[in-house]
């Protein structure tokens, strides 16, 4: 369960019998795949069964957006966004994994950048 009594800079997330204290600023993206959620950090990936909705509430700040039904991204790490056919992909600075972004969210990022 995601800890609700966390500091503004950190939150806790459970993975099996382990509890991780995560610095919000180190979260590059959050990805939902099947019944698992993956929190991508600068130096590791934390697997959890938390929902994107619960993590979205914790990460509700101006630099995190729900880019797609399966992704939350930290726009501070966005290097560039690439259109591949009708799909938009987010590439991150210093990180190889990409995230999907909807056309509407792509347009939103263009406006605020």
């Amino acid at each position: 369960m995601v800890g609700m009594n966390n500091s503004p800079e950190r939150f806790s997330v459970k993975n099996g019998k382990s509890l991780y204290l995560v610095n919000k600023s180190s979260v590059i993206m959050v990805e939902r795949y099947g019944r698992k959620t993956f929190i991508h950090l600068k130096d590791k990936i934390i697997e959890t069964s938390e929902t994107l909705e619960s993590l979205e509430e914790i990460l509700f700040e101006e630099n995190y957006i729900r880019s797609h039904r399966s992704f939350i991204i930290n726009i501070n790490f966005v290097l560039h966004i690439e259109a591949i056919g009708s799909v938009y992909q987010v590439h991150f600075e210093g990180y190889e994994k990409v995230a999907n972004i909807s056309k509407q969210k792509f347009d939103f990022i263009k406006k605020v950048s």
Side-chain angles (χ1 to χ4, degrees):
M1 176 174 209
V2 175
M4 294 300 188
N5 57 352
N6 301 300
S7 75
E9 298 86 28
R10 292 169 54 130
F11 65 98
S12 59
V13 64
K14 193 171 181 182
N15 174 354
K17 294 182 180 179
S18 298
L19 183 70
Y20 289 90
L21 298 176
V22 180
N23 287 319
K24 289 182 183 180
S25 63
S26 67
V27 176
I28 296 170
M29 72 173 174
V30 181
E31 174 185 19
R32 183 75 175 182
Y33 187 77
R35 293 179 175 247
K36 300 281 184 190
T37 301
F38 301 91
I39 302 170
H40 296 257
L41 307 176
K42 296 174 185 176
D43 58 349
K44 73 176 116 209
I45 299 172
I46 300 171
E47 181 181 326
T48 182
S49 59
E50 294 297 330
T51 65
L52 277 182
E53 290 76 17
S54 65
L55 291 168
E56 189 175 20
E57 287 179 25
I58 296 290
L59 296 171
F60 181 74
E61 294 177 20
E62 62 186 54
N63 53 330
Y64 294 94
I65 64 166
R66 181 82 175 256
S67 65
H68 184 269
R69 63 187 158 101
S70 299
F71 292 95
I72 299 169
I73 63 169
N74 183 340
I75 61 174
N76 291 332
F77 285 100
V78 174
L79 182 62
H80 72 280
I81 300 172
E82 179 180 22
I84 301 175
S86 62
V87 175
Y88 292 86
Q89 288 188 330
V90 179
H91 296 262
F92 300 97
E93 190 174 324
Y95 199 68
E96 290 185 25
K97 185 109 169 105
V98 297
N100 291 339
I101 186 167
S102 69
K103 171 95 169 78
Q104 294 81 12
K105 295 295 181 166
F106 172 67
D107 291 341
F108 171 76
I109 288 179
K110 284 195 313 188
K111 287 181 187 176
V112 298
S113 298

